[in-house]
Amino acid sequence: VPGALQHVGLRTRAVSSLSSPLSLPGLHVLAIAFALEVSVGKTNTVMALNNSNVLLPCIFTTCIGFQDLDFTWYFNLTEMIYHGKIKSKASEPILVERNPRVEFVGSTTGKDNNISIVLKNVEFSDAGRYTCHVKNPKEKKAQHNATIILTVVQESKLVEADNTVTLIIVGIVGGLIGLLILFMLVKRVVLFIIKKTQDGKKECLVSSSGNDNTENGLAGSKAEQKAPPKA
């Protein structure tokens, strides 16, 4: 019996040791379901003119709320350009540190947790990757981020691209109008030919009918002019 109890004890301990890992996937899925998500919008690229201002969007969502949330914007993953903290959903972000050319334009007290920024007086050297990094203490050490890629161009190139698109559109519209005019001309020519053919057939029919009637009439007249034979 002791041996049996020892065997049962070993089996119990084995099941216990296995049951712990089996529960981890469920907990992991639960953690993912409540995890904070960060997004920069439908597209992760933005184009800006040299010497203009550009909006770098970023929002975050969470199902478990947040407390003392920390968010940071990085340029090319190394240079910090904006750092802020949000105490709770009822409060707006507090500035910790920022680049002089960066301005916070978001709000976290409304429907969306908007932590977007505006980069002023864009230069060609500003082209690169901008990462919105968010850390929620409620998720312990979990960190989330999203990246947007900025391209800086000259105004002339942008205008040139717009002109190219305009020329393509004008060319397509002009081609369609030309095809429509050609179709109308061909249609008129075909209708003219058909009408002339039908008119010719009618003239032939009328002429043929007139000749037959004349011949019949002359023949009848000659027959009437003949005197009856003498008895």
Side-chain angles (χ1 to χ4, degrees):
V1 175
L5 290 174
Q6 185 178 7
H7 177 71
V8 171
L10 290 173
R11 183 178 179 183
T12 303
R13 286 194 296 272
V15 171
S16 299
S17 63
L18 289 175
S19 62
S20 178
L22 288 174
S23 64
L24 289 177
L27 293 174
H28 182 64
V29 171
L30 185 63
I32 293 176
F34 289 109
L36 180 142
E37 295 183 0
V38 182
S39 173
V40 292
K42 295 181 179 180
T43 177
N44 66 338
T45 59
V46 63
M47 182 179 295
L49 291 175
N50 186 32
N51 295 324
S52 68
N53 300 337
V54 61
L55 173 68
L56 301 177
C58 182
I59 61 173
F60 68 87
T61 57
T62 177
C63 296
I64 60 175
F66 60 88
Q67 190 76 27
D68 296 325
L69 182 139
D70 186 276
F71 70 95
T72 311
W73 277 92
Y74 288 99
F75 174 56
N76 288 336
L77 300 176
T78 56
E79 182 183 348
M80 191 275 295
I81 60 174
Y82 194 95
H83 181 199
K85 289 183 178 292
I86 311 172
K87 186 173 181 60
S88 66
K89 180 64 178 176
S91 61
E92 291 290 353
I94 300 172
L95 171 65
V96 177
E97 186 180 357
R98 72 180 179 93
N99 184 292
R101 291 196 295 124
V102 176
E103 180 182 357
F104 181 81
V105 293
S107 175
T108 56
T109 56
K111 181 180 178 181
D112 297 325
N113 296 313
N114 188 342
I115 50 175
S116 304
I117 60 173
V118 167
L119 179 61
K120 299 179 179 180
N121 300 322
V122 174
E123 302 173 355
F124 291 108
S125 59
D126 293 327
R129 302 169 64 88
Y130 289 81
T131 302
C132 177
H133 185 94
V134 182
K135 182 178 179 181
N136 187 8
K138 281 193 173 185
E139 296 183 5
K140 296 183 179 180
K141 295 183 179 181
Q143 299 181 11
H144 309 272
N145 61 75
T147 299
I148 189 168
I149 300 173
L150 173 64
T151 303
V152 182
V153 298
Q154 291 182 356
E155 185 176 0
S156 59
K157 290 185 178 180
L158 191 60
V159 171
E160 183 179 351
D162 291 341
N163 291 338
T164 302
V165 173
T166 303
L167 290 175
I168 292 174
I169 294 174
V170 170
I172 293 174
V173 173
L176 293 175
I177 294 174
L179 288 175
L180 181 60
I181 294 174
L182 179 62
F183 173 77
M184 296 296 292
L185 289 174
V186 172
K187 181 180 178 181
R188 293 190 65 178
V189 170
V190 171
L191 291 175
F192 178 78
I193 294 173
I194 292 174
K195 183 178 180 182
K196 283 294 184 182
T197 303
Q198 290 177 347
D199 291 345
K201 289 182 178 179
K202 288 181 181 179
E203 291 177 359
C204 289
L205 290 173
V206 172
S207 177
S208 176
S209 176
N211 290 336
D212 292 343
N213 292 334
T214 303
E215 290 176 358
N216 291 334
L218 289 173
S221 298
K222 290 178 180 179
E224 291 175 357
Q225 290 176 359
K226 288 182 180 178
K230 295 180 180 180

